[in-house]
Amino acid sequence: MRTLLPPPPPSSRDHSPALASLAARILYLNPLPSTTTNLPLYILNAAAFPSASDIDYDDLIPYVLARLPNEDTLIAGLEYEILFFAKTIQGDGKKKRPGWQWYVQTYQLLSRVVRKRIRRLWIVGAEKWLRMLVEGLLVMGGEKGRRKVVFVRGWRELSGWGLKIEECCVPPTAWEAELKSGRTKSLGAGEETGKARKRAFGVTRPLPSVASCEDASAGDQPEIRLPRVLREATSFLLMDDCVKTKGIFRVNAKAVHVEVLKDAYDRGQQFLVWAEGPQMLSFPYWREGTGEVSVNELEKRDGFDAHAAAGLIKMWYKELKEPICPPSCYQALRKFYGDESLQLQPESMADLLKSNAEWTFLSPTARQILRLHLLPMLSRVTEFKDWNQMAAYNLAVCFAPTLLRGPDIEEDMRITGIVTRLLGAMIENWELYLAPALDTEKHLYERLRLPVAVGDREDPLEESDPVVSSLTSQMNGITLVDNDGSGSETPLEDIDDADEPPPLPLRTRTLSDVDDLRRIPPPLPPRPRTFSDAEDHRPPLPPRIRSSTIANIPTHSRPSTPRSSGPSSPGDGSDHQVKRKPAPAVQPAPRYSTIMGPAQQPIATLEHPPLYNSVDQPEEEPYGHRANPELPGYEAVPGSSSRTTIPRKPVPNTSPERKA
């Protein structure tokens, strides 16, 4: 059995930084301990495996196993758990995974104390071949080793075992592999209860209130804050190396990463790593009893880039429950800002954004979002337009479609031009005119800081039944008016809280009801048809044809005319006369020697062509009948002038000579 040699130290010439960096992406320590046993949790990511044609896995094994706890710590009594994401990503037509020999070799290189001190091994999404391989290796470990391994099909089943995926630092490659496997849609929180649970996208209150303002008086407005998704994505986007990214907000991000981030923020994923080049940002998480926890084991390259952050911000605005510019404001936009030659003044734009504006077509929530986040962020991005090539008008073109969401797509496209011009003017005038006129109490960077209160670091969870929420939206604003003539209106909230009468008991069927059912007469049988009814509905008979007419027509010269209908003659009693083909004459049965016609005449007198030539000409046997002696002979019919022969009954003589 081979012995495991430790990898060369970083100061050695034989040390490979590339293999060490790759091993950090494959196996790393989770920032928080396991929620089931409170033991250290190591995450093994199979999606980070490189292609077998690009690297030698025998050289990679020491770097990967060196990231596990050392034997001295394990001998002291420390135990640990491993969460193995077995899903891989396909690339270049082949799966990026090592062969089964590599797994067997790695298992054999593990020391006895490393195998013994593992408390639990979670294998998520294992294929059939991997499951059979692991079960075969566990046979050598006995029943105790078999109980340590848990196979789960998807991430959702981990919650049934008590392991919270929200407290695991999952890299983007594992997210992408799980999404392509078709199980990411089942990762949403609240599926077990049948309710839609969300925190960030499409919520009723997009700007949550600060938890520290709970003791404020009832007359004061509670202070609001930015949601976590905007706070973290904007903080990473405005970093020096990220804000200079060329084509920011214009270049589309990887759709898989944007969907993964949306699902992660809605479920409350606690550890998300952002990385763009040398820049990396991981927001610390505060856990009671643990303190401030940050990511320090994950490889710097394994993070979401700047384009993913920009795409996530655009998706948040696109999925607002109430858009910034609802369809009710289209008429005002067309009336006051539809003229392209009109010069937009900063004073008029400031009046639209004020919280105490006398008239504006924007809702209070839309004005708060524009003042606190959108306009300050886009104004900051335009300061680096020499690097990112994104001026105020370019940013307005990218964001205008996300601010509109009406029932008519064509109407939205016509209004997009007006919103683009208005938004571009607001971005250009924000720093010099609009921000001082609106008297914003805090700068954007102050709102992007990590909240001090633990309750403000995560957005509140919103639970709603899809059916109930749709009915509530339809009944919103409905008031009931009493019919007593007073004209007083009762709010819908008061009606819901009023005392309702108890429901009526279920009606039980009594004996009298059964008797009533028995008194119902059975249905009548169908009425039988009588002879008079059948006679009324019988079809009319065809017209009769006179027998004298048929007798005068020769049998062989009767025309075979098809059936036709036409008007009858005036002498006939029928209304319509149908001409039908006459039936052939009845003839007697044929005999062996002669066939007689209807007038007792030989058949030779009928107008048929002779079978042979006349007597004067030499006799020719057609088709070589004479050459074959087995064929029956022929004889002449008496009384006929022409020589017409008919077949006769063969003589039971086997000699070839025939009778004269």
Side-chain angles (χ1 to χ4, degrees):
M1 180 176 180
R2 295 180 53 186
T3 58
L4 177 63
L5 298 177
S11 59
S12 176
R13 293 182 178 180
D14 298 335
H15 181 76
S16 175
L19 294 178
S21 176
L22 183 58
R25 301 180 61 191
I26 296 176
L27 182 63
Y28 58 90
L29 178 64
N30 193 56
L32 292 176
S34 174
T35 56
T36 57
T37 58
N38 204 23
L39 294 175
L41 179 64
Y42 287 86
I43 296 179
L44 179 60
N45 181 22
F49 285 150
S51 179
S53 58
D54 299 338
I55 197 172
D56 188 2
Y57 275 94
D58 294 338
D59 299 337
L60 183 62
I61 289 178
Y63 291 90
V64 174
L65 298 183
R67 301 186 63 84
L68 291 173
N70 52 36
E71 294 187 3
D72 298 337
T73 308
L74 297 176
I75 292 174
L78 178 66
E79 294 181 336
Y80 65 98
E81 294 184 0
I82 294 179
L83 178 59
F84 181 25
F85 296 110
K87 286 293 181 180
T88 57
I89 302 177
Q90 295 183 0
D92 301 333
K94 297 181 180 179
K95 289 188 177 181
K96 296 183 178 181
R97 61 170 175 81
W100 63 270
Q101 299 89 346
W102 185 82
Y103 288 96
V104 176
Q105 183 181 358
T106 305
Y107 179 79
Q108 292 177 353
L109 291 176
L110 293 176
S111 61
R112 182 176 181 275
V113 65
V114 174
R115 302 179 191 175
K116 184 177 180 181
R117 289 300 180 184
I118 182 172
R119 176 71 67 87
R120 185 77 68 183
L121 174 59
W122 313 87
I123 302 180
V124 184
E127 298 182 5
K128 187 176 181 180
W129 69 270
L130 181 58
R131 183 163 185 167
M132 295 174 61
L133 178 62
V134 173
E135 291 178 352
L137 294 175
L138 291 176
V139 173
M140 298 180 292
E143 185 66 24
K144 186 176 180 180
R146 197 177 296 111
R147 289 197 301 264
K148 294 181 179 181
V149 181
V150 178
F151 291 94
V152 292
R153 292 182 299 176
W155 295 9
R156 182 186 59 177
E157 297 183 8
L158 291 174
S159 59
W161 292 88
L163 185 63
K164 296 181 180 179
I165 194 65
E166 292 82 6
E167 296 188 3
C168 299
C169 185
V170 184
T173 51
W175 284 101
E176 185 176 353
E178 185 70 14
L179 178 66
K180 290 184 178 181
S181 66
R183 295 193 181 98
T184 302
K185 293 183 179 180
S186 63
L187 295 179
E191 185 176 324
E192 296 83 1
T193 59
K195 296 181 180 180
R197 303 176 63 187
K198 47 192 176 182
R199 299 177 185 268
F201 292 85
V203 295
T204 305
R205 297 182 60 183
L207 298 178
S209 58
V210 179
S212 59
C213 299
E214 295 178 355
D215 54 351
S217 59
D220 299 338
Q221 292 292 335
E223 185 181 357
I224 59 176
R225 59 177 178 84
L226 295 178
R228 180 193 169 199
V229 55
L230 293 184
R231 186 178 69 244
E232 296 184 0
T234 308
S235 299
F236 174 69
L237 186 66
L238 296 181
M239 297 178 70
D240 292 340
D241 291 342
C242 299
V243 75
K244 295 180 181 180
T245 304
K246 188 176 181 180
I248 195 69
F249 288 113
R250 178 176 56 85
V251 178
N252 293 331
K254 204 171 182 179
V256 177
H257 288 179
V258 177
E259 290 293 333
V260 163
L261 287 170
K262 176 181 177 296
D263 181 74
Y265 278 105
D266 270 338
R267 291 186 300 106
Q269 194 71 25
Q270 297 170 1
F271 296 100
L272 292 171
V273 181
W274 303 88
E276 180 68 30
Q279 294 287 341
M280 178 180 176
L281 184 62
S282 60
F283 296 91
Y285 175 74
W286 184 274
R287 183 176 179 180
E288 186 178 357
T290 308
E292 187 175 293
V293 182
S294 60
V295 178
N296 53 7
E297 288 287 334
L298 190 63
E299 171 60 28
K300 303 298 186 289
R301 295 181 302 168
D302 232 347
F304 300 96
D305 57 358
H307 292 296
L312 187 67
I313 294 174
K314 291 171 62 176
M315 179 173 284
W316 187 86
Y317 279 93
K318 184 179 180 180
E319 295 195 3
L320 282 173
K321 196 169 186 178
E322 182 182 358
I324 301 296
C325 298
S328 59
C329 69
Y330 288 178
Q331 185 177 1
L333 284 171
R334 195 180 293 107
K335 178 179 180 181
F336 295 102
Y337 303 99
D339 190 3
E340 297 183 359
S341 61
L342 178 65
Q343 187 69 24
L344 299 177
Q345 300 298 328
E347 293 80 7
S348 61
M349 292 184 292
D351 294 338
L352 291 176
L353 301 175
K354 288 182 179 179
S355 57
N356 55 353
E358 297 181 359
W359 178 88
T360 179
F361 56 83
L362 298 175
S363 63
T365 305
R367 284 175 280 170
Q368 289 177 345
I369 295 175
L370 292 174
R371 292 196 312 265
L372 301 180
H373 180 259
L374 184 60
L375 295 178
M377 179 192 65
L378 297 181
S379 177
R380 179 62 177 170
V381 173
T382 55
E383 296 179 6
F384 300 88
K385 59 183 178 181
D386 296 337
W387 291 271
N388 54 34
Q389 306 296 324
M390 296 300 292
Y393 180 77
N394 298 339
L395 293 173
V397 170
C398 298
F399 262 92
T402 62
L403 307 181
L404 304 172
R405 189 174 68 252
D408 191 356
I409 301 179
E410 296 181 357
E411 185 68 16
D412 294 346
M413 295 176 61
R414 288 191 288 265
I415 297 297
T416 302
I418 302 176
V419 177
T420 301
R421 191 165 61 90
L422 180 60
L423 182 60
M426 288 183 177
I427 297 172
E428 291 180 351
N429 296 277
W430 173 258
E431 192 68 26
L432 297 178
Y433 301 102
L434 296 181
L438 297 174
D439 192 17
T440 54
E441 60 277 3
K442 287 185 179 181
H443 196 267
L444 175 63
Y445 286 98
E446 297 182 9
R447 294 188 176 276
L448 297 179
R449 294 176 182 174
L450 186 67
V452 179
V454 180
D456 293 337
R457 298 191 176 187
E458 186 59 78
D459 299 331
L461 183 63
E462 181 179 301
E463 297 186 8
S464 61
D465 195 343
V467 179
V468 176
S469 60
S470 62
L471 293 177
T472 305
S473 60
Q474 296 177 12
M475 298 175 62
N476 188 18
I478 298 178
T479 56
L480 301 179
V481 182
D482 296 337
N483 295 329
D484 55 357
S486 59
S488 60
E489 297 181 357
T490 305
L492 188 61
E493 294 80 3
D494 298 342
I495 295 177
D496 295 338
D497 299 337
D499 296 335
E500 297 181 358
L504 296 176
L506 297 176
R507 182 173 179 265
T508 58
R509 180 171 291 182
T510 60
L511 184 61
S512 59
D513 298 336
V514 178
D515 296 339
D516 295 340
L517 293 176
R518 292 177 178 176
R519 293 193 189 99
I520 298 176
L524 296 176
R527 179 186 175 189
R529 297 183 61 182
T530 60
F531 179 76
S532 59
D533 296 338
E535 193 176 24
D536 295 339
H537 297 284
R538 61 185 179 183
L541 297 176
R544 298 179 59 184
I545 303 177
R546 298 178 180 179
S547 57
S548 59
T549 306
I550 300 177
N552 297 332
I553 301 176
T555 305
H556 62 274
S557 62
R558 291 175 184 174
S560 59
T561 57
R563 270 185 203 180
S564 61
S565 60
S568 61
S569 60
D572 296 338
S574 61
D575 296 338
H576 299 282
Q577 183 178 2
V578 181
K579 296 181 179 180
R580 301 195 315 178
K581 182 179 179 179
V586 179
Q587 298 181 1
R591 299 181 181 178
Y592 292 108
S593 58
T594 59
I595 297 179
M596 303 301 294
Q600 299 298 328
Q601 296 180 358
I603 194 172
T605 58
L606 300 178
E607 297 181 2
H608 289 287
L611 297 178
Y612 296 100
N613 296 332
S614 60
V615 181
D616 300 336
Q617 295 182 359
E619 188 174 346
E620 296 181 2
E621 298 293 340
Y623 307 108
H625 287 175
R626 279 296 184 185
N628 192 352
E630 297 180 0
L631 293 177
Y634 294 86
E635 63 181 2
V637 178
S640 60
S641 59
S642 61
R643 186 178 180 182
T644 304
T645 60
I646 58 173
R648 62 180 179 83
K649 185 176 180 180
V651 181
N653 186 10
T654 58
S655 62
E657 297 180 359
R658 57 177 300 185
K659 189 176 182 179

